[in-house]
């Protein structure tokens, strides 16, 4: 549904998006993740035909983003990272305005508007003025206007930014519903764990480069392997860290929150040796447990150092 090949955008000397390629199948929910300034918005704006690439291109449902603007725009619902609301407009008028801009026939609009208000849980606010809505409601309204012309593809640039935890979960539920409706979704965020439950595929971008793409499992597998153990000690953390780092089966050790996080690359059934060695050395181990590969640490490991 989305085929990106060699997409590139420069701002002067700065390579904002540097020759990135990936593809998204119909029905995929693709999480586009990267820190501030990585190039997410620039990429999404190019896909939405609002910015011209310097090199490379992408097709959406077979249409080229460089040439087929009308077809691409009809196929795509784009939710920008910042959006304006118009003063003196009611929620339903706002949606009606966008629906007509997308050339939805007047006779079909009331029904559609009812549906998207329902879907975004804004039915109660149909006649409320847009500027009087809370931030979370505005965000949902913006999502409503993004889907008002029933596009097949949604390009959502940080739709949950600035929302409280409850509102973030509500947005996530809403996006799940859109996935279930068969939409193809590209959604950006700088928070990997937030996207993971929603997405079946993830791309990580940093400094304009796509450094990894695949399912969460594939991404874990692509990492050099190793299992993370969390070791709690009574004191002498720094000494324990140095002690562990001298072992060939330990790749990395971080001290975090009064515990050691050790990346173990030894034999799968020999990790007890680690514990035994620590105890032998006189370290007072109060707990020793394997960490699930959690997404946050995965992300931190992936992007380590490249940012700075
Ligand atoms: N109009 C512009 N003129 C010059 N530089 C720009 C422009 N837009 C973006 N950039 C630069 O391009 C790079 C990528 O920016 P972009 O907005 O795509 O990042 P992002 O991943 O969306 O970041 P964020 O998470 O902060 O939204 C940044 O270094 C930014 O400063
Ligand atoms: Mg951005």
């Amino acid at each position: 549904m989305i085929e990106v090949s060699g997409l590139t955008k420069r701002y002067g000397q700065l390579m904002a998006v540097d020759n990135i390629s990936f593809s998204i199948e119909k029905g995929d929910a693709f999480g586009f993740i990267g820190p501030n300034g990585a190039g997410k918005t620039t990429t999404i704006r190019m896909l939405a035909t609002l910015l011209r690439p310097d090199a490379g291109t992408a097709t959406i449902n077979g249409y080229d983003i460089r040439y087929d603007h009308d077809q691409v725009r009809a196929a795509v619902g784009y939710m920008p990272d910042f959006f304006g609301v118009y003063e003196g407009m009611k929620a339903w008028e706002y949606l009606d305005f966008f629906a007509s801009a997308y050339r939805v026939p007047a006779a079909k609009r009331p029904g559609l508007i009812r549906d998207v208000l329902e879907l975004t849980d804004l039915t109660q606010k149909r006649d409320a003025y847009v500027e009087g809505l809370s931030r979370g409601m505005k965000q949902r309204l913006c999502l409503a206007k993004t889907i008002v012309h029933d596009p097949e593809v949604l390009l959502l640039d940080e739709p949950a930014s600035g929302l409280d935890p409850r509102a973030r979960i509500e947005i996530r539920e809403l996006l799940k519903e859109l996935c279930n409706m068969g939409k193809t979704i590209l959604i950006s965020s700088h928070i990997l764990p937030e996207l993971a439950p929603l997405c079946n595929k993830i791309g990580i971008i940093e400094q304009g480069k796509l450094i990894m793409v695949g399912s969460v499992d594939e991404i874990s597998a692509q990492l050099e392997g190793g299992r993370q153990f969390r070791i709690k000690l009574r004191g002498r953390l720094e000494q324990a860290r140095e002690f562990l780092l001298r072992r060939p089966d330990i790749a990395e050790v971080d001290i975090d929150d009064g515990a050691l996080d050790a990346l173990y690359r030894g034999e799968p059934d020999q990790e007890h040796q680690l514990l035994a060695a620590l105890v032998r050395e006189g370290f007072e181990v109060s707990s020793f447990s394997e960490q699930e590969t959690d997404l946050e640490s995965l992300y931190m490991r992936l992007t380590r150092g490249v940012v700075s």
Side-chain angles (χ1 to χ4, degrees):
M1 188 58 105
I2 303 180
E3 195 71 55
V4 178
S5 64
L7 202 62
T8 300
K9 182 77 199 175
R10 273 179 227 100
Y11 293 110
Q13 292 292 320
L14 180 91
M15 280 296 234
V17 175
D18 190 355
N19 190 18
I20 68 171
S21 304
F22 57 90
S23 58
I24 304 179
E25 310 290 322
K26 187 173 166 59
D28 272 354
F30 182 85
F32 195 41
I33 309 184
N36 291 139
K40 302 179 297 294
T41 297
T42 306
T43 303
I44 292 175
R45 287 177 54 83
M46 287 192 279
L47 295 179
T49 75
L50 300 173
L51 202 59
R52 223 185 138 72
D54 291 317
T57 191
T59 57
I60 292 184
N61 205 4
Y63 295 109
D64 194 312
I65 56 158
R66 289 170 305 176
Y67 311 116
D68 310 322
H69 287 188
D70 286 354
Q71 292 90 331
V72 170
R73 287 176 192 187
V76 160
Y78 164 61
M79 178 167 171
D81 48 353
F82 295 102
F83 46 91
V85 290
Y86 302 95
E87 301 262 315
M89 227 182 202
K90 294 177 176 174
W92 78 266
E93 290 170 329
Y94 183 79
L95 296 173
D96 193 61
F97 170 75
F98 280 99
S100 67
Y102 277 112
R103 305 194 187 100
V104 176
K108 280 181 74 181
R109 281 183 233 149
L112 267 176
I113 290 168
R114 192 177 344 102
D115 291 348
V116 294
L117 284 171
E118 174 91 41
L119 190 66
T120 51
D121 206 15
L122 286 171
T123 305
Q124 302 287 333
K125 296 289 174 182
R126 183 183 180 279
D127 294 307
Y129 284 101
V130 173
E131 69 265 28
L133 297 178
S134 77
R135 165 134 199 190
M137 291 170 187
K138 277 184 196 147
Q139 216 113 336
R140 291 210 300 266
L141 184 67
C142 186
L143 195 54
K145 79 95 186 145
T146 302
I147 56 179
V148 79
H149 59 299
D150 198 21
E152 284 191 85
V153 174
L154 302 180
L155 304 174
L156 311 174
D157 198 356
E158 306 211 33
S161 72
L163 297 182
D164 69 34
R166 166 174 289 277
R168 298 182 90 93
I169 291 170
E170 280 168 11
I171 288 268
R172 195 163 77 200
E173 291 306 311
L174 178 52
L175 294 176
K176 269 192 201 151
E177 217 161 305
L178 290 167
C179 283
N180 293 339
M181 290 164 71
K183 308 269 184 210
T184 306
I185 301 182
L186 182 152
I187 171 174
S188 79
S189 174
H190 45 267
I191 311 173
L192 178 53
E194 184 172 277
L195 282 190
L198 189 72
C199 298
N200 61 342
K201 207 168 171 186
I202 278 167
I204 296 178
I205 184 171
E206 193 169 49
Q207 292 196 325
K209 292 195 171 68
L210 199 65
I211 54 176
M212 208 157 264
V213 61
S215 67
V216 176
D217 292 344
E218 279 165 359
I219 287 182
S220 319
Q222 275 180 52
L223 282 171
E224 294 153 87
R227 290 148 65 204
Q228 198 81 26
F229 284 87
R230 169 155 275 231
I231 304 158
K232 287 192 184 149
L233 299 177
R234 292 185 46 194
R236 296 176 67 209
L237 283 175
E238 192 50 52
Q239 289 102 307
R241 191 177 95 91
E242 282 164 22
F243 172 72
L244 287 173
L245 281 172
R246 283 197 294 273
R247 292 177 61 93
D249 56 0
I250 292 293
E252 285 173 23
V253 184
D254 290 326
I255 296 180
D256 174 41
D257 206 12
L260 296 173
D261 287 326
L263 183 64
Y264 174 78
R265 294 229 183 102
E267 295 297 316
D269 53 356
Q270 294 299 311
E271 57 271 14
H272 64 278
Q273 302 277 7
L274 206 60
L275 177 59
L278 281 165
V279 173
R280 233 182 1 251
E281 201 64 20
F283 292 107
E284 297 178 308
V285 180
S286 59
S287 100
F288 182 89
S289 57
E290 179 162 4
Q291 300 276 95
E292 294 287 318
T293 321
D294 79 291
L295 290 162
E296 195 152 24
S297 62
L298 193 69
Y299 176 60
M300 293 309 280
R301 250 196 283 164
L302 273 172
T303 56
R304 175 176 299 170
V306 188
V307 184
S308 52

